[in-house]
Amino acid sequence: MKLDSAEEESRGVPSPLAEGSPSTLELAFSKILHGLSRPESGQGNARTAVLQDLGALIEAAECDELCEGTRSGDSLRGMPEILGQVAKALEKLAAPPKEKAEGGDGHSEVAGKATEVGLLFLKLLGKVEAAKSSPACPAWKTGLRHLAGPAYVFATTHRLKQPWTSPRSQRVADEVLSLLLRVTECSSVAGFLCGENEDDRGRFAVVLGLLKPHLNNLQQVTQPWLSQHLEKILPPSLLISDDYQTENKILGVQCLHHIVINVPAADLLQYNRAQVLYHALFNHLYMPEHHLIQAVLLCLLDLFPVLEKGLHWKGDAVRATTHCHDVLQLILTHMEPEHRLLLRRTYARNLPAFVRKLGILTVRHLKRLEPVIIGYLEVYDGPEEETRLKILETLKLVMQYAWPRIPCRVVVLLKALLKLICDVARDTSLTTEATKCTLLQEATDCLILLDHCSQGQVKGLLSKIVLSCEDHTVVNCIRRVQQSSAAVPCDDS
């Protein structure tokens, strides 16, 4: 099919036959891409005109021109990259709308667009297949690599019966998928995504990258609407959270967290879904990636009440906090030998929440908590000192909840807190004065609380230090402890 030259000029598309150079072809496809990117391109006649121009351009172009692109080096982008952008624009053009348009039959319009787009994908893949069988075009793999992802997303979106599909759009999408599998030499969709052999890594990462915006849209759907689609959104969220790329794991965990927050506990407990979520998240705690650990711990903290509710319903209230105990035990096991500052900061940031969650049951973990608290107070954490501040907050909570077990640890904790106060008082690093004051205030509060838990032992031990200490900052902190009131309520829960 050839376009009339006058018609081409009126549409702003140069004739690909006027000049055989690949740079002219790139310019023509770039103008088509610009037309597809405009908002009005999805409407009626404008869309039809752009898609007709694109179809004529594809038919008129040679296979080697589409796959190899510019060789002169004048262009910054070759044809394969531009084709990939065009394919993404086509897939987006045919995608079903997020909301049904007011007035008219929006679904039939989507089916019509999908049919037109599917025919263009068939033409593009047909060109790649022709280039594949031609010894004069060895670069067909490059063109296929950029087309495969958008073509697959389009085909899987429209090949099954959905509200936005029609029999014809389903048939065209099915043809696109069949041709795609034939060109890529894949025997199945699983082979296309995961690879046909050990040397073939598949195209799952590419497809996942295209679907990320759709996954982010999941977080815009809240209760009570999310629970209606739980069976459809939970499996892919679990699958993505188990991806080999950390950023995809984080995205999957964020989707799971959104599900936990916005789906009723009864629905999560049905079919043991909550346990599946827990085990999937727990396994991620072995990954040394601080962003992933942060996302997982936040999700687990919101999942614990759901799991506890299930145990209460079964009459097993004694073991209601078992999952929280297991997670805290693993966190403390990782914290003690950890030397990477970002991971230490992430663990410390979430530790107070676990102590609040367990309350007096934190006594089960005192043996592990003590060396972690002392070790983390000794290490400088940077100008913001987030780790030390969070550890001091944890120590205060531990003393409030487990105060009967504190007297036997007075000397060890007193030494750690005094060492911290001396380090901060002599600190000449980039730490701001405001941060130093906050650290000293928190450490002093811990000393006061430690004194009350030990019934005044701390004041007696500090009385001799004031006489020999020459640092005014340290002396002021000690005097505040000595001047503190005789009774501070401890948490008996």
Side-chain angles (χ1 to χ4, degrees):
M1 176 179 179
K2 296 184 179 180
L3 289 177
D4 182 76
S5 59
E7 184 182 358
E8 288 183 358
E9 289 178 3
S10 65
R11 294 174 181 169
V13 181
S15 173
L17 300 180
E19 221 178 299
S21 64
S23 59
T24 304
L25 188 63
E26 288 183 31
L27 179 60
F29 270 98
S30 297
K31 289 188 176 182
I32 291 291
L33 179 60
H34 178 69
L36 289 172
S37 303
R38 290 182 298 185
E40 61 269 20
S41 64
Q43 301 174 358
N45 296 332
R47 181 191 76 228
T48 302
V50 173
L51 295 182
Q52 284 179 353
D53 288 346
L54 179 56
L57 200 56
I58 294 171
E59 289 187 359
E62 297 294 334
C63 303
D64 57 342
E65 292 177 335
L66 289 175
C67 295
E68 294 181 1
T70 302
R71 297 183 179 181
S72 61
D74 295 331
S75 176
L76 296 177
R77 295 189 304 171
M79 271 307 303
E81 287 81 2
I82 298 177
L83 277 181
Q85 294 297 322
V86 170
K88 290 178 183 178
L90 289 173
E91 186 275 323
K92 185 177 180 181
L93 179 66
K98 298 176 185 177
E99 298 179 0
K100 187 175 179 180
E102 296 183 4
D105 191 356
H107 287 157
S108 63
E109 184 180 352
V110 173
K113 287 193 292 186
T115 301
E116 295 179 72
V117 168
L119 294 174
L120 290 175
F121 271 120
L122 288 174
K123 290 181 180 180
L124 284 170
L125 291 171
K127 288 288 184 179
V128 175
E129 187 177 33
K132 178 182 174 183
S133 59
S134 173
C137 185
W140 62 272
K141 290 184 179 180
T142 306
L144 179 60
R145 186 169 66 248
H146 290 84
L147 288 174
Y152 174 78
V153 173
F154 165 80
T156 53
T157 303
H158 298 279
R159 66 186 294 260
L160 300 178
K161 186 177 181 180
Q162 300 288 356
W164 60 83
T165 61
S166 67
R168 190 183 178 201
S169 67
Q170 289 178 249
R171 185 168 60 254
V172 172
D174 198 53
E175 290 176 9
V176 171
L177 183 61
S178 299
L179 181 55
L180 179 62
L181 294 178
R182 186 167 73 244
V183 174
T184 55
E185 299 179 351
C186 295
S187 58
S188 64
V189 171
F192 174 83
L193 293 174
C194 305
E196 290 286 324
N197 50 60
E198 295 181 357
D199 297 329
D200 184 7
R201 297 185 62 180
R203 299 158 187 85
F204 181 67
V206 176
V207 173
L208 191 58
L210 295 172
L211 293 177
K212 274 185 181 180
H214 302 286
L215 292 170
N216 290 329
N217 289 334
L218 168 64
Q219 301 183 24
Q220 306 302 317
V221 183
T222 57
Q223 57 178 325
W225 299 280
L226 193 63
S227 59
Q228 303 171 14
H229 309 284
L230 183 59
E231 292 184 0
K232 294 181 180 179
I233 61 177
L234 183 58
S237 298
L238 285 167
L239 179 64
I240 293 165
S241 72
D242 198 34
D243 189 57
Y244 71 95
Q245 290 186 349
T246 302
E247 59 180 12
N248 294 335
K249 287 179 183 288
I250 295 172
L251 178 61
V253 171
Q254 289 172 344
C255 291
L256 294 176
H257 192 185
H258 184 75
I259 291 171
V260 170
I261 294 173
N262 290 281
V263 172
D267 290 337
L268 291 175
L269 292 169
Q270 192 177 21
Y271 305 122
N272 225 21
R273 292 187 183 112
Q275 286 290 342
V276 172
L277 283 171
Y278 169 74
H279 288 294
L281 293 167
F282 187 83
N283 290 335
H284 287 313
L285 293 176
Y286 292 94
M287 296 291 295
E289 299 288 344
H290 66 280
H291 289 306
L292 177 61
I293 295 293
Q294 177 66 29
V296 169
L297 292 179
L298 291 177
C299 186
L300 283 170
L301 286 168
D302 285 323
L303 182 62
F304 289 147
V306 177
L307 295 166
E308 291 168 11
K309 189 172 291 187
L311 290 172
H312 278 297
W313 288 348
K314 293 178 181 178
D316 196 3
V318 178
R319 298 181 63 251
T321 56
T322 299
H323 299 96
C324 190
H325 282 297
D326 293 342
V327 173
L328 181 56
Q329 182 176 357
L330 182 62
I331 290 174
L332 294 174
T333 301
H334 290 167
M335 284 183 75
E336 190 171 358
E338 186 56 63
H339 63 279
R340 287 162 287 198
L341 289 180
L342 292 176
L343 272 173
R344 288 167 64 94
R345 199 172 297 158
T346 301
Y347 288 132
R349 185 183 302 130
N350 294 278
L351 199 53
F354 280 87
V355 176
R356 288 193 193 93
K357 178 68 183 172
L358 291 175
I360 195 173
L361 296 179
T362 308
V363 295
R364 298 183 185 180
H365 304 277
L366 281 181
K367 277 190 176 181
R368 289 181 178 271
L369 267 170
E370 181 183 320
V372 167
I373 290 173
I374 294 172
Y376 275 57
L377 289 179
E378 291 177 349
V379 179
Y380 173 72
D381 184 50
E384 297 180 358
E385 290 281 19
E386 182 183 358
T387 298
R388 280 173 159 176
L389 288 171
K390 287 298 181 180
I391 291 298
L392 288 172
E393 181 183 349
T394 302
L395 178 57
K396 285 201 292 186
L397 291 169
V398 169
M399 288 191 289
Q400 289 171 359
Y401 288 121
W403 60 269
R405 298 290 182 90
I406 298 301
C408 62
R409 295 174 167 84
V410 168
V411 176
V412 176
L413 294 175
L414 178 59
K415 287 181 179 179
L417 290 169
L418 286 176
K419 186 177 186 302
L420 172 63
I421 292 173
C422 292
D423 288 345
V424 174
R426 300 168 185 171
D427 185 14
T428 58
S429 66
L430 298 176
T431 306
T432 62
E433 289 300 321
T435 302
K436 291 180 183 179
C437 290
T438 305
L439 269 175
L440 292 173
Q441 175 70 39
E442 293 295 318
T444 305
D445 291 344
C446 284
L447 284 175
I448 294 172
L449 194 53
L450 183 62
D451 179 63
H452 296 314
C453 290
S454 63
Q455 299 180 345
Q457 291 184 41
V458 173
K459 288 180 181 176
L461 294 170
L462 292 177
S463 58
K464 297 180 181 179
I465 298 179
V466 179
L467 302 176
S468 59
C469 183
E470 299 179 356
D471 192 301
H472 295 293
T473 304
V474 177
V475 171
N476 288 337
C477 292
I478 293 176
R479 291 199 184 282
R480 281 189 53 212
V481 177
Q482 293 176 329
Q483 294 168 4
S484 62
S485 59
V488 169
C490 292
D491 196 321
D492 295 329
S493 61

